[in-house]
Amino acid sequence: MSSDGCPVLIVLEFLKGFARDKMCGKCLPCMFGTAQMVDVLERITNGKGEEEDMALLDEISSSIVDTARCKLGKDAATFVKDSLSASKSEYEEHIKDKYCAHKSCEIIVNYQINPEKCTMCGACKEVCSKDAIIGEKMVSYLSDNKPYYIKNKKCTKCDECLAVCEAGAIEIV
Ligand code: SF4
Ligand code: SF4
Ligand code: SF4
C-alpha cells in the first residue's frame, strides 16, 4: 500500500519505520506510545476509526514529546502532532466518513447496493441498526418505487445486511 499523499498513511508508515529502525526502547512512553499510535492509525486507515482517535493520538504524542529522553523520540511524536493539526479535516474524513480522498487507504471500503440485483425486499433495511439503508419495499403497481441505497457516512461495515441479502445485491467497493 502506497501512502501517495494521504497524511494518515504517511504518518503510519513513518511511525512503523521509526519503530523498526530507530527506536531503542529505553523509555517506556516512547516505546508503548509509538506502538499504540501505530494501532490507532491502522484502525483509522482500516475504516474503523473512532471519534476519540484524534484526541487519543494528540494525547499520546504530547506525552512522548514531554517525556522522551532523546530528540529522535520527540521528533517522531512531533511529526504526528504536526500532521494532526495540518491535516485535521483529512483525519476527520477517514474517521467519520470512512473516506480517503487520495484513494490510498485501499482498505477503506464502501458498501453499495447493486440496483440490477436488488429485488427491493427490504431485508437489509430492517436489519441495519444504524439506519444506513434508505429505500422502500417494491410495490408492483407503482411506477415510482424508491430504490435501496446505503449511506456510507452512517454505515459501520458490520456486515449484517450482507448476511440477509439473498439476492447478493450488496457489494463492497
Ligand atoms: S525517546 Fe529516544 S531513547 Fe527513548 S525509546 Fe525513544 S528513541 Fe529510545
Ligand atoms: S436485502 Fe438485498 S435484495 Fe433486499 S432490498 Fe436489500 S439489497 Fe435489495
Ligand atoms: S454493513 Fe451494517 S451498518 Fe452498513 S448498511 Fe449494512 S447493516 Fe447497515
Side-chain angles (χ1 to χ4, degrees), residues 1-3 6-14 45 104-106:
M1 182 168 45
S2 157
S3 55
C6 169
V8 188
L9 266 187
I10 287 172
V11 171
L12 174 58
E13 286 172 6
F14 168 81
T45 57
S104 314
C105 295
E106 292 165 19

Side-chain angles (χ1 to χ4, degrees), residues 113-114 117-125 133 148 161 164-170:
I113 293 174
N114 182 338
K117 291 185 180 173
C118 178
T119 59
M120 300 177 74
C121 69
C124 55
K125 186 176 176 180
I133 300 181
Y148 284 83
C161 56
V164 299
C165 179
E166 292 181 358
I170 299 172

Side-chain angles (χ1 to χ4, degrees), residues 73-172:
K74 285 185 194 295
D75 284 352
T78 301
F79 187 72
V80 179
K81 283 181 72 65
D82 289 349
S83 173
L84 282 170
S85 56
S87 306
K88 185 169 181 270
S89 61
E90 292 191 73
Y91 280 83
E92 285 173 346
E93 264 180 353
H94 281 72
I95 293 168
K96 292 180 186 162
D97 303 339
K98 316 298 177 198
Y99 175 71
C100 173
H102 298 269
K103 308 272 188 288
S104 314
C105 295
E106 292 165 19
I107 39 193
I108 288 188
V109 295
N110 284 327
Y111 286 36
Q112 71 179 26
I113 293 174
N114 182 338
E116 288 182 8
K117 291 185 180 173
C118 178
T119 59
M120 300 177 74
C121 69
C124 55
K125 186 176 176 180
E126 281 167 29
V127 83
C128 180
S129 60
K130 303 297 174 193
D131 291 331
I133 300 181
I134 311 297
E136 290 175 5
K137 279 186 187 177
M138 164 72 90
V139 181
S140 46
Y141 55 82
L142 286 182
S143 58
D144 63 343
N145 283 293
K146 306 249 176 349
Y148 284 83
Y149 68 94
I150 294 174
K151 290 180 98 172
N152 272 285
K153 282 191 178 183
K154 287 188 164 186
C155 174
T156 58
K157 331 280 186 220
C158 70
D159 288 350
E160 293 290 327
C161 56
L162 282 176
V164 299
C165 179
E166 292 181 358
I170 299 172
E171 298 171 350
I172 298 173

